[in-house]
Amino acid sequence: MTPEKIADLNAALKSGDPLNTEQLAWHLQVDPKHAPRIARDFGLEKQDELYPWVRIWRAIHKTEGIHLAQHLVNLKAMYPGSIILDGIEDLEVELRKPLLDFAAMAEHRGRKPDTLSKALRQGRATLPYPMIDMGPRTRHFRALEVRLWVVEEIRLELPPIPSWVTAAQRPEAASPEVLDAPEPVQEPETLRSPDPIKKAIFGAFGASNRNGPT
C-alpha cells in the first residue's frame, strides 16, 4: 500500500464520515475481504451502503460516541499529570485510528507475541485492557488503550452503551464482544504500584514523561 493510500485512509477515519468497506477494514486492521464478515458477526449494519460511526462505536467498541467527549474530561480530571491525556483534544478522533493486532500490542509491551499468547492461554498472565476478538487469530486492541496503560498505568475504561439504547439496536447476543479485562496476574518481571488504583504493568511502551510510581 502506498503512503498516499495510507494517508487517504487515515484522513477518512479522522473525518468521522461513514466508512466504506475498505475504510472499515483499515480501522479494524483486517483484510478488506474479511470486513463484511466481521461486521455481520458484530451486528454492525450498513446505512446507505456505508458504516456510520454511531453504529461502529456501539457494535465494535461497545460504547456511545456522544459520551466520549465527557469521558475525556473525566479522565483528565482523574489523572491531572497525564502527558498522554493532556495531548488529546478529541477522544473520538483518537479512537478512530487503526487498531493494533496482537503482535503489535505485544511488541509495545516489550514481549514476544508467542510468549505472551502462551502465558495468556495458560493463565499465567492477563491483560489489563479489553481485547476485541474478531475470530481465530484476529485479536485486536485500541492503540490508545494499550499506550495509556503501558506508559502511565491508566485504564481507558470507555463508558458502556447506555440503557436507552434498545435491545433491537444492540448487536445480537451471540455476536463477539469486547472482553472485560480481568485483574492482571503478577509475573516475575512485573512491578506492582503501591497506588491501589493502579495495576501491574507488563513490559514497556516507551519512556514515560509522567512522574509515576517507581
Side-chain angles (χ1 to χ4, degrees):
M1 189 178 294
T2 66
E4 291 78 12
K5 182 62 174 179
I6 292 175
D8 288 344
L9 289 170
N10 286 333
L13 300 188
K14 184 177 182 179
S15 72
D17 293 336
L19 305 182
N20 61 31
T21 298
E22 182 183 31
Q23 293 160 350
L24 176 66
W26 182 248
H27 172 62
L28 301 178
Q29 286 295 284
V30 299
D31 190 309
K33 69 182 180 182
H34 297 312
R37 188 271 303 168
I38 292 172
R40 289 194 301 270
D41 287 348
F42 278 82
L44 174 57
E45 298 181 354
K46 287 183 178 180
Q47 179 178 319
D48 298 327
E49 298 304 312
L50 297 172
Y51 298 99
W53 274 102
V54 64
R55 296 184 179 182
I56 296 172
W57 293 128
R58 291 174 182 173
I60 303 296
H61 297 278
K62 308 302 183 192
T63 192
E64 195 72 22
I66 61 172
H67 292 170
L68 295 179
Q70 184 59 48
H71 189 60
L72 179 61
V73 171
N74 295 343
L75 285 172
K76 288 183 176 182
M78 188 179 301
Y79 302 100
S82 170
I83 300 299
I84 297 175
L85 292 173
D86 286 347
I88 299 174
E89 296 182 358
D90 189 325
L91 187 56
E92 281 196 66
V93 171
E94 192 69 26
L95 293 176
R96 290 191 205 116
K97 293 180 179 179
L99 302 179
L100 297 178
D101 62 18
F102 189 90
M105 181 276 294
E107 180 181 352
H108 290 324
R109 299 182 64 145
R111 304 290 298 276
K112 293 182 178 180
D114 290 346
T115 302
L116 179 56
S117 182
K118 183 177 181 180
L120 292 170
R121 289 197 308 271
Q122 295 178 347
R124 294 184 288 106
T126 58
L127 297 175
Y129 37 74
M131 175 191 303
I132 303 177
D133 189 349
M134 303 180 199
R137 303 182 67 83
T138 315
R139 298 168 293 175
H140 287 63
F141 306 84
R142 288 177 280 267
L144 174 62
E145 201 152 36
V146 175
R147 184 166 182 248
L148 270 174
W149 177 259
V150 175
V151 177
E152 299 186 323
E153 297 180 306
I154 294 174
R155 291 179 186 266
L156 183 59
E157 294 185 331
L158 295 179
I161 299 173
S163 58
W164 52 262
V165 177
T166 66
Q169 291 175 306
R170 296 178 189 234
E172 294 297 327
S175 301
E177 298 181 354
V178 175
L179 303 178
D180 291 332
E183 288 296 320
V185 175
Q186 184 168 339
E187 296 181 79
E189 73 275 19
T190 298
L191 296 177
R192 186 172 296 275
S193 168
D195 185 343
I197 297 178
K198 299 178 180 177
K199 304 299 179 184
I201 178 170
F202 306 156
F205 194 107
S208 172
N209 293 322
R210 182 182 179 216
N211 294 324
T214 59

